[in-house]
Amino acid sequence: MESPVALVTGANRGIGLEVARQLAGRGYLVYLAGRDAAAAREAAERLHAEGLAAEPLALDVTRPESARAARRAVEAAHGRLNALVNNAGVLLDEGVAGLEVPVETVHATYEVNVYGALRVTQAFAPLLIRARGNVVNVSSIMGQLASAGPGYLAYRSSKAALNMITRVLAAELAPRGVRVNAAHPGWIRTRMGGPAAPGTPEEGAKPIVWLATLGPDGPSGGFFGPGNQPLDW
Ligand SMILES: NC(=O)c1ccc[n+]([C@@H]2O[C@H](COP(=O)([O-])OP(=O)(O)OC[C@H]3O[C@@H](n4cnc5c(N)ncnc54)[C@H](OP(=O)(O)O)[C@@H]3O)[C@@H](O)[C@H]2O)c1
């Protein structure tokens, strides 16, 4: 039997690279997607050195043609996609009040965190339907409406929008056998999370990998955090 196929966006470093590593460790053939082709190649070489199967793939989630080209490459090689992890993300308004954040910053955040995830999911939907696969949107507790406070307006609202995209696409794709869930990795030590974060990328990847590898009876339209625990919206 052929290996299941996964694609992780923003997989050249941070949580995305660790998700790719854990999926490859479970026998997935992983497309390690990065907007910088050389960085994706280097990351794939790191996994090869660990004896894992990973294919580098150039994919800038803000560019429609890049998403279509990535879809064509995976379709030509496998004709299906068992797991899509929309991990690529940016945090551009650290330390800026919502009342002062330039709208351009909000727009640039949405380009990656919202439109990017939607664009890539739309591009790969036919391949995901063929595999009756899983979509994982890497969200954040910062996108939770119930606990929202001041600041991080661009980032928080982008993840809240991503959560709603998760719900709508989960409902639309349920009859086609595809599950769509949102994951909060925890506060994780990466370039985005910073050096003071308590969690490792290995820990942060766990709920994401669980959702990426769900079987047909797994949940859909949910928001899950560390320990695979359901979170309030
Ligand atoms: N770290 C945390 O504490 C934390 C907490 C909650 C949620 N998250 C979420 O977890 C995900 C991964 O975050 P991280 O902590 O691993 O951050 P990170 O280390 O900053 O990595 C972000 C990744 O996204 C990629 N990316 C940015 N713009 C892109 C684009 N246009 N196209 C393709 N890739 C793009 C980056 O690529 P380049 O290397 O080319 O920049 C990088 O690979 C994000 O969605 C983030 O919001 C993180």
Side-chain angles (χ1 to χ4, degrees):
M1 222 171 84
E2 259 197 272
S3 301
V5 182
L7 188 151
V8 183
T9 65
N12 53 295
R13 60 184 167 94
I15 295 168
L17 175 58
E18 184 55 34
V19 168
R21 177 181 281 118
Q22 291 185 18
L23 287 173
R26 287 172 174 234
Y28 279 69
L29 190 155
V30 180
Y31 280 93
L32 211 145
R35 63 176 155 177
D36 175 351
R41 221 169 25 245
E42 271 168 39
E45 279 160 15
R46 280 175 66 182
L47 296 196
H48 294 163
E50 296 168 25
L52 298 169
E55 285 286 330
L57 186 68
L59 173 49
D60 181 337
V61 304
T62 65
R63 292 183 45 233
E65 181 44 35
S66 179
R68 284 193 291 267
R71 194 266 313 281
R72 283 195 297 273
V74 176
E75 184 155 34
H78 303 283
R80 70 195 153 87
L81 184 65
N82 299 83
L84 169 65
V85 179
N86 287 310
N87 166 79
V90 292
L91 194 177
L92 303 175
D93 60 338
E94 178 117 51
V96 184
L99 275 173
E100 280 152 25
V101 65
V103 169
E104 291 73 17
T105 302
V106 182
H107 193 104
T109 304
Y110 284 26
E111 271 300 340
V112 178
N113 297 6
V114 181
Y115 311 137
L118 176 60
R119 175 180 292 123
V120 173
T121 307
Q122 287 175 338
F124 280 93
L127 306 195
L128 287 157
I129 289 166
R130 242 172 255 161
R132 302 179 81 79
N134 293 301
V135 178
V136 187
N137 292 323
V138 182
S139 182
S140 170
I141 197 75
M142 301 269 280
Q144 187 177 58
L145 293 174
S147 64
Y152 298 100
L153 181 147
Y155 185 73
R156 285 185 199 278
S157 61
S158 73
K159 295 299 191 182
L162 182 62
N163 286 352
M164 181 56 85
I165 287 170
T166 302
R167 295 285 295 176
V168 172
L169 295 187
E172 291 183 9
L173 284 166
R176 323 287 290 270
V178 174
R179 290 152 300 285
V180 186
N181 288 289
H184 166 57
W187 183 21
I188 304 299
R189 268 192 309 283
T190 60
R191 211 174 292 174
M192 182 187 291
T200 62
E202 196 181 341
E203 289 162 342
K206 280 185 184 159
I208 300 168
V209 169
W210 171 61
L211 292 170
T213 56
L214 291 173
D217 296 332
S220 189
F223 186 22
F224 298 92
N228 306 340
Q229 290 305 306
L231 297 171
D232 288 339
W233 299 106

